[in-house]
Amino acid sequence: ELKVEQNPLFLSMQEGKNYTIYCNYSTTSDRLYWYRQDPGKSLESLFVLLSNGAVKQEGRLMASLDTKARLSTLHITAAVHDLSATYFCAVEGNEKLTFGTGTRLTIIP
Amino acid sequence: ETGVTQSPTHLIKTRGQQVTLRCSSQSGHNTVSWYQQALGQGPQFIFQYYREEENGRGNFPPRFSGLQFPNYSSELNVNALELDDSALYLCASSLWDRVEQFFGPGTRLTVL
């Protein structure tokens, strides 16, 4: 059974700082997704990573995938308050997505 | 291009009742997946429908059932509701041969 773990579960950081969220998964997969969720809202797709070594960037967020290490990272650069949300990684396998537990990110002014 | 829509947005039921949630997939998408997200948790896969047939199921009991219609819209039915069924139910649509799933706004179900 595929297991997906994220850390940290909670992250409180000051504006302007950099930090990384980690996503580890237990079985081979070449497809990994990052989503953002605001309180009470649905999931917003951030990145789709489809191969080993894939790196994608959008604004202050950058995601990477290492399929050999079964690890993806979501790096936040110079955080701003608008990035406060819960971030989920999800790994595709057997026609379904298995989600991590989520990282609740709070950016403090 | 119309995105994924779900109805209703909120629903309150009591234990033992039955509920039907509805999802209209994004235009052109032929595959629909349903997820349950309990408060403070990540979404959990319930099942997926393609060509009106169930194509994969997560660890949910048979009282969770679904349908997909010829226009690719879908329903999630839950019988004999339990308190633990209280959650946000998310529908996602995709093309069968494409990778990315697009999520609807969700239905918040509260079971009292």
Side-chain angles (χ1 to χ4, degrees):
Chain A
E1 180 186 346
L2 173 61
K3 294 189 186 300
V4 181
E5 293 184 352
Q6 284 182 240
N7 68 82
L9 298 183
F10 298 94
L11 177 57
S12 182
M13 53 191 294
Q14 287 187 318
E15 281 189 329
K17 300 291 186 182
N18 305 331
Y19 209 82
T20 301
I21 299 171
Y22 297 89
C23 174
N24 293 273
Y25 54 98
S26 61
T27 62
T28 301
S29 176
D30 290 334
R31 297 175 174 177
L32 190 138
Y33 306 74
W34 283 97
Y35 291 92
R36 168 183 172 145
Q37 188 175 40
D38 293 300
K41 303 294 185 180
S42 187
L43 299 171
E44 174 190 352
S45 178
L46 295 175
F47 300 108
V48 180
L49 303 171
L50 300 178
S51 62
N52 186 42
V55 177
K56 291 195 174 181
Q57 183 166 3
E58 181 71 34
R60 301 175 187 273
L61 300 178
M62 182 173 71
S64 65
L65 178 61
D66 181 344
T67 58
K68 295 179 181 178
R70 298 175 187 167
L71 170 68
S72 179
T73 61
L74 179 66
H75 187 73
I76 303 150
T77 302
V80 293
H81 180 69
D82 286 352
L83 292 178
S84 295
T86 299
Y87 293 84
F88 290 97
C89 64
V91 178
E92 184 168 326
N94 298 323
E95 288 87 39
K96 70 176 184 180
L97 293 179
T98 299
F99 283 80
T101 48
T103 296
R104 184 177 295 181
L105 174 64
T106 303
I107 309 297
I108 303 168
Chain B
E1 186 177 83
T2 305
V4 180
T5 60
Q6 292 185 243
S7 64
T9 54
H10 296 87
L11 202 52
I12 299 175
K13 292 284 189 178
T14 57
R15 277 186 303 175
Q17 285 189 310
Q18 177 266 342
V19 69
T20 298
L21 310 182
R22 295 177 175 82
C23 171
S24 291
S25 60
Q26 184 164 315
S27 178
H29 285 185
N30 55 14
T31 303
V32 174
S33 302
W34 285 91
Y35 293 83
Q36 180 197 66
Q37 186 178 21
L39 195 62
Q41 304 292 319
Q44 300 289 318
F45 175 75
I46 303 175
F47 42 55
Q48 182 185 80
Y49 277 83
Y50 171 64
R51 290 187 174 178
E52 303 176 49
E53 291 191 1
E54 187 179 291
N55 177 62
R57 187 179 184 93
N59 189 26
F60 282 82
R63 60 189 185 84
F64 285 77
S65 63
L67 287 172
Q68 186 181 32
F69 300 99
N71 66 355
Y72 306 130
S73 66
S74 177
E75 287 182 354
L76 164 64
N77 298 289
V78 187
N79 293 321
L81 283 167
E82 301 176 359
L83 296 179
D84 285 349
D85 295 334
S86 295
L88 179 67
Y89 288 84
L90 296 165
C91 163
S93 75
S94 59
L95 286 170
W96 176 248
D97 59 346
R98 297 290 179 87
V99 170
E100 194 169 6
Q101 297 186 16
F102 296 85
F103 283 83
T107 293
R108 173 74 61 186
L109 173 64
T110 302
V111 182
L112 302 177

